Amino acid sequence: ANGSQGGLSLVPEKVADADLRGLWRRLDDDCSGGVSVEEFVGFMRREEAELPEVELTQDELTREEMRAAAEKRAEEARQAHERWLEEQGIEPKQKYATGRVIENQKPSTHEEHELVLPFEQLRGVVIRLHDTMQRVCATWDSKGSMDKNWRTLFERIDADFSGRLDYLEFLKAVRDELKVPDTTEEELRALWTYIDHDKSGEVTIAELQHGLYLLILEGWAPLTDEGLEEVVGILNTAGKKWYHGHFSWYKVFKAIDTDENDRLEYDEFERVIRANGSQGGLSLKPNELATSKIQGLWRRLDEDCSGGVSVEEFVGFMRLGEAELPEAEKTAEELTQAELQEQAEQRALAARQAAERRLSGLDDEPKQKYATGRVIEHIKPTTHAEHECVLPFEQLRAVVVRLQETMTKVCASWDNKGSMNKNWEILFKRIDADFSGRLDYPEFVKAVREELKVPDTTDEELKALWTYVDHDKSAEVTIAEFQHGLYLLILEGWAPLMDEDLGNLILTINVAAKKWYHGHFSWYKVFRAIDTDENDRLEFDEFERVIRANGSQGGLSLVPEKVADADLRGLWRRLDDDCSGGVSVEEFVGFMRREEAELPEVELTQDELTREEMRAAAEKRAEEARQAHERWLEEQGIEPKQKYATGRVIENQKPSTHEEHELVLPFEQLRGVVIRLHDTMQRVCATWDSKGSMDKNWRTLFERIDADFSGRLDYLEFLKAVRDELKVPDTTEEELRALWTYIDHDKSGEVTIAELQHGLYLLILEGWAPLTDEGLEEVVGILNTAGKKWYHGHFSWYKVFKAIDTDENDRLEYDEFERVIRANGSQG
């Protein structure tokens, strides 16, 4: 990779691929497929010790002198502080990696920081930093989030990945990377003095953000009491206009807090004030509420200069300001809504009191309550017959259908296959204006009328739908009650299949499943393929999607001409006999097996018969190998520590080497098979890693081959997939059998993903000649020189390791190692 982007810029002309692989052979001497941080750093340091000292340039010498001076100052400051702590008898609670104590629990204020230049001049430097970053940083937040901007700046500057900056890193980055205009050395030194509040010679991300924030904040004039009253009044009016239902400042806070951390930053506060009211904002343009007034209000809100405001601070402050305002005059619509709200609350109270009277005679303690105090009683899902229909069923069901059709047109994040549960969930969240997790009737009616604009629906129909959904008459519904009520109205319109039609449909699905699901067929496999969200429960949309989807994409390729929509829905009515909205794995498999038992036996093709015979033979061999191994374990008195689902013991703690695997064909011939597998996968696999990550390639191959989702392969699955899916060219049956023999090291008749990856890796690795001592010295010298060239600040192999370790698992794979050595230095 390019040196300026974190790499070493060593092209093949400088370090040949063969040398790179040979170095890897020396690094990965236990053939584990990866190198830990300790192994890498220890090896490189050991070899580096034999190299002649690299001569530093004048620039590097100057930088080292400045670093030494900075470290000396930091050490003196730390020692002085430690002496002071000891004198005061204070026990330090936390330290940086350098040993420096973190003292400040309460955020510092502007007055506590040292100003060595006039405030306006220093603040101008921060604004120029900010403006420059907005132009040059590709990852910059489009709305100018202060915290995100400073974090991005910090990460660009922190050249040695320590999580802290010293002055030299800061200076070099501002000059060489950001090229901030019209800024002198004196100004940068003054800014550093201001930010480095505790004079330690280094700053963390929190210290950098806080120092820069203080300089911005101090330039905003706080609102006077009169100005504050005016601004809170404007926000109050806008809030009542745009937030349906009972208005509260808590609602406003939840809408503003876009990152959901229960704390506001200024950019969130400003964004929601300016954003369009229909998109969750208050629609207040600069001519209605000046930016300077928003900044002044923020100064009053963030009185402790922490950079953020908690929910309690925000709500408490706004209510305090609101208490002084005259009562806002309500419109006729607001008065009607308030009356409806009051009536709903009276009905809810009466329902709760009645429920409490019923419960008082019971021994069982209720386990769950709504926030209102109402007990949730229904454990078993209700059926359509238990809900109150005050209008004809078909008329009420049509309202739900219109709701769904309208939502599909207007909701941008809508599931394109019409997932029932997802649709109702999105609808609920759009309607739940006060974020309570429950709806009352006024919220429901206002949202359907003003947000969704559902056509051809009367007030009488909406009231009837509410009566149906609100089964326990509490005047409020949860997301589960809402989803369930709407689902029941849809489900009740689907006629269940008669027994004869059910048998024909099961037979059709059975034949399609046996055609598309390789290996031994089971209804469990079908369930796993249908259950796309992996929650061990099917909803109807998952069921329909897989029945219709193309067989090569995990479906059954059953188009409406083969299985009509009405039949599919009728089968679902029979499956979901408790009207719960979903079917568990036990319900699905049990039902399908029970119905399948009545069907005539499906005649197997010659290919299927051959496959069954091969499977039986493979299972017999695997069972014999397991039994033999268990006898041996018992004789040795060894307690197995881990087993596969099949019961086979996993023995190998230390990675096996090439010599321990069985070769039944010449090595080069067998290695050629692996290379052809790899090359074929790179062409056909759409999810392939563009840089050819070995581990990712083998994992993708395994998942494509593992037809029964067991997490293990047997030989038949492996053979069929290589032949039918990958179509690997110029490979004989004998070669595939030999490759399997090599990979299946413990002769169990099955391999896990780890065994597959390790076996294939060993065959690749064994073809790379390890470097000689002379070659090793040369390559480490080249890497050493490139590392010192591209890694600013004090060079260390730990820095190189952290740059190479792209997936941050503290372990290198070969593809990471090669990628960084080749990549442009400017790209890491």
Side-chain angles (χ1 to χ4, degrees), residues 454-469:
V454 180
D456 311 321
T457 303
T458 65
D459 285 341
E460 182 189 21
E461 288 174 325
L462 289 180
K463 174 59 81 177
L465 177 58
W466 181 262
T467 302
Y468 184 94
V469 171

mmCIF file of all heavy atoms in Angstrom, residues 454-469:
data_model
loop_
_atom_site.group_PDB
_atom_site.id
_atom_site.type_symbol
_atom_site.label_atom_id
_atom_site.label_comp_id
_atom_site.label_asym_id
_atom_site.label_seq_id
_atom_site.Cartn_x
_atom_site.Cartn_y
_atom_site.Cartn_z
ATOM 1 N N VAL A 454 -55.155 8.058 4.072
ATOM 2 C CA VAL A 454 -55.776 6.841 3.519
ATOM 3 C C VAL A 454 -57.086 7.233 2.840
ATOM 4 O O VAL A 454 -57.945 7.864 3.461
ATOM 5 C CB VAL A 454 -56.018 5.810 4.637
ATOM 6 C CG1 VAL A 454 -56.662 4.541 4.068
ATOM 7 C CG2 VAL A 454 -54.707 5.480 5.337
ATOM 8 N N PRO A 455 -57.285 6.861 1.559
ATOM 9 C CA PRO A 455 -58.483 7.325 0.834
ATOM 10 C C PRO A 455 -59.723 6.508 1.194
ATOM 11 O O PRO A 455 -59.619 5.370 1.686
ATOM 12 C CB PRO A 455 -58.092 7.075 -0.634
ATOM 13 C CG PRO A 455 -57.143 5.920 -0.593
ATOM 14 C CD PRO A 455 -56.391 6.058 0.705
ATOM 15 N N ASP A 456 -60.889 7.114 0.970
ATOM 16 C CA ASP A 456 -62.178 6.410 1.033
ATOM 17 C C ASP A 456 -62.403 5.695 2.368
ATOM 18 O O ASP A 456 -62.896 4.566 2.413
ATOM 19 C CB ASP A 456 -62.297 5.376 -0.109
ATOM 20 C CG ASP A 456 -61.943 5.987 -1.462
ATOM 21 O OD1 ASP A 456 -62.313 7.144 -1.693
ATOM 22 O OD2 ASP A 456 -61.270 5.312 -2.271
ATOM 23 N N THR A 457 -62.017 6.360 3.447
ATOM 24 C CA THR A 457 -62.187 5.734 4.770
ATOM 25 C C THR A 457 -62.905 6.722 5.690
ATOM 26 O O THR A 457 -62.438 7.849 5.881
ATOM 27 C CB THR A 457 -60.818 5.343 5.364
ATOM 28 O OG1 THR A 457 -60.153 4.471 4.449
ATOM 29 C CG2 THR A 457 -60.974 4.620 6.688
ATOM 30 N N THR A 458 -64.031 6.297 6.263
ATOM 31 C CA THR A 458 -64.844 7.189 7.087
ATOM 32 C C THR A 458 -64.396 7.135 8.553
ATOM 33 O O THR A 458 -63.704 6.208 8.967
ATOM 34 C CB THR A 458 -66.331 6.790 7.022
ATOM 35 O OG1 THR A 458 -66.472 5.484 7.611
ATOM 36 C CG2 THR A 458 -66.819 6.731 5.560
ATOM 37 N N ASP A 459 -64.847 8.135 9.330
ATOM 38 C CA ASP A 459 -64.575 8.140 10.778
ATOM 39 C C ASP A 459 -65.171 6.901 11.439
ATOM 40 O O ASP A 459 -64.577 6.320 12.356
ATOM 41 C CB ASP A 459 -65.167 9.401 11.437
ATOM 42 C CG ASP A 459 -64.323 10.630 11.129
ATOM 43 O OD1 ASP A 459 -63.151 10.453 10.744
ATOM 44 O OD2 ASP A 459 -64.839 11.754 11.266
ATOM 45 N N GLU A 460 -66.349 6.488 10.955
ATOM 46 C CA GLU A 460 -67.010 5.305 11.524
ATOM 47 C C GLU A 460 -66.137 4.062 11.332
ATOM 48 O O GLU A 460 -65.999 3.230 12.236
ATOM 49 C CB GLU A 460 -68.368 5.106 10.848
ATOM 50 C CG GLU A 460 -69.143 3.930 11.399
ATOM 51 C CD GLU A 460 -70.384 3.611 10.559
ATOM 52 O OE1 GLU A 460 -70.427 4.005 9.376
ATOM 53 O OE2 GLU A 460 -71.285 2.942 11.102
ATOM 54 N N GLU A 461 -65.495 3.937 10.141
ATOM 55 C CA GLU A 461 -64.638 2.775 9.869
ATOM 56 C C GLU A 461 -63.385 2.786 10.747
ATOM 57 O O GLU A 461 -62.952 1.747 11.250
ATOM 58 C CB GLU A 461 -64.248 2.749 8.390
ATOM 59 C CG GLU A 461 -65.406 2.360 7.479
ATOM 60 C CD GLU A 461 -65.061 2.477 6.007
ATOM 61 O OE1 GLU A 461 -64.288 3.404 5.641
ATOM 62 O OE2 GLU A 461 -65.560 1.667 5.207
ATOM 63 N N LEU A 462 -62.784 3.983 10.932
ATOM 64 C CA LEU A 462 -61.595 4.064 11.779
ATOM 65 C C LEU A 462 -61.933 3.735 13.235
ATOM 66 O O LEU A 462 -61.177 3.051 13.926
ATOM 67 C CB LEU A 462 -60.967 5.462 11.692
ATOM 68 C CG LEU A 462 -60.278 5.793 10.364
ATOM 69 C CD1 LEU A 462 -59.703 7.200 10.402
ATOM 70 C CD2 LEU A 462 -59.167 4.788 10.056
ATOM 71 N N LYS A 463 -63.100 4.231 13.701
ATOM 72 C CA LYS A 463 -63.525 3.931 15.079
ATOM 73 C C LYS A 463 -63.766 2.422 15.239
ATOM 74 O O LYS A 463 -63.399 1.811 16.247
ATOM 75 C CB LYS A 463 -64.803 4.719 15.400
ATOM 76 C CG LYS A 463 -65.433 4.389 16.738
ATOM 77 C CD LYS A 463 -64.511 4.641 17.917
ATOM 78 C CE LYS A 463 -64.468 6.090 18.329
ATOM 79 N NZ LYS A 463 -63.603 6.285 19.524
ATOM 80 N N ALA A 464 -64.333 1.792 14.194
ATOM 81 C CA ALA A 464 -64.600 0.346 14.236
ATOM 82 C C ALA A 464 -63.298 -0.452 14.234
ATOM 83 O O ALA A 464 -63.180 -1.469 14.938
ATOM 84 C CB ALA A 464 -65.466 -0.064 13.051
ATOM 85 N N LEU A 465 -62.319 0.011 13.453
ATOM 86 C CA LEU A 465 -61.024 -0.675 13.423
ATOM 87 C C LEU A 465 -60.347 -0.580 14.792
ATOM 88 O O LEU A 465 -59.786 -1.559 15.299
ATOM 89 C CB LEU A 465 -60.124 -0.069 12.339
ATOM 90 C CG LEU A 465 -58.708 -0.654 12.242
ATOM 91 C CD1 LEU A 465 -58.753 -2.158 11.986
ATOM 92 C CD2 LEU A 465 -57.900 0.040 11.139
ATOM 93 N N TRP A 466 -60.430 0.616 15.402
ATOM 94 C CA TRP A 466 -59.837 0.789 16.732
ATOM 95 C C TRP A 466 -60.498 -0.144 17.763
ATOM 96 O O TRP A 466 -59.832 -0.776 18.577
ATOM 97 C CB TRP A 466 -59.977 2.243 17.189
ATOM 98 C CG TRP A 466 -59.370 2.462 18.538
ATOM 99 C CD1 TRP A 466 -60.022 2.484 19.730
ATOM 100 C CD2 TRP A 466 -57.978 2.626 18.839
ATOM 101 N NE1 TRP A 466 -59.127 2.668 20.761
ATOM 102 C CE2 TRP A 466 -57.863 2.756 20.239
ATOM 103 C CE3 TRP A 466 -56.828 2.678 18.069
ATOM 104 C CZ2 TRP A 466 -56.658 2.935 20.885
ATOM 105 C CZ3 TRP A 466 -55.605 2.859 18.701
ATOM 106 C CH2 TRP A 466 -55.519 2.989 20.088
ATOM 107 N N THR A 467 -61.831 -0.231 17.684
ATOM 108 C CA THR A 467 -62.581 -1.101 18.605
ATOM 109 C C THR A 467 -62.127 -2.547 18.461
ATOM 110 O O THR A 467 -61.993 -3.282 19.446
ATOM 111 C CB THR A 467 -64.094 -0.987 18.323
ATOM 112 O OG1 THR A 467 -64.486 0.393 18.464
ATOM 113 C CG2 THR A 467 -64.912 -1.849 19.271
ATOM 114 N N TYR A 468 -61.861 -2.974 17.213
ATOM 115 C CA TYR A 468 -61.406 -4.342 16.958
ATOM 116 C C TYR A 468 -60.002 -4.569 17.514
ATOM 117 O O TYR A 468 -59.743 -5.564 18.205
ATOM 118 C CB TYR A 468 -61.425 -4.610 15.449
ATOM 119 C CG TYR A 468 -61.054 -6.029 15.078
ATOM 120 C CD1 TYR A 468 -62.033 -6.994 14.905
ATOM 121 C CD2 TYR A 468 -59.723 -6.400 14.890
ATOM 122 C CE1 TYR A 468 -61.704 -8.313 14.573
ATOM 123 C CE2 TYR A 468 -59.378 -7.710 14.565
ATOM 124 C CZ TYR A 468 -60.377 -8.657 14.403
ATOM 125 O OH TYR A 468 -60.043 -9.946 14.081
ATOM 126 N N VAL A 469 -59.083 -3.637 17.229
ATOM 127 C CA VAL A 469 -57.680 -3.795 17.634
ATOM 128 C C VAL A 469 -57.534 -3.716 19.155
ATOM 129 O O VAL A 469 -56.782 -4.487 19.759
ATOM 130 C CB VAL A 469 -56.798 -2.720 16.935
ATOM 131 C CG1 VAL A 469 -55.388 -2.713 17.500
ATOM 132 C CG2 VAL A 469 -56.758 -2.965 15.431
#
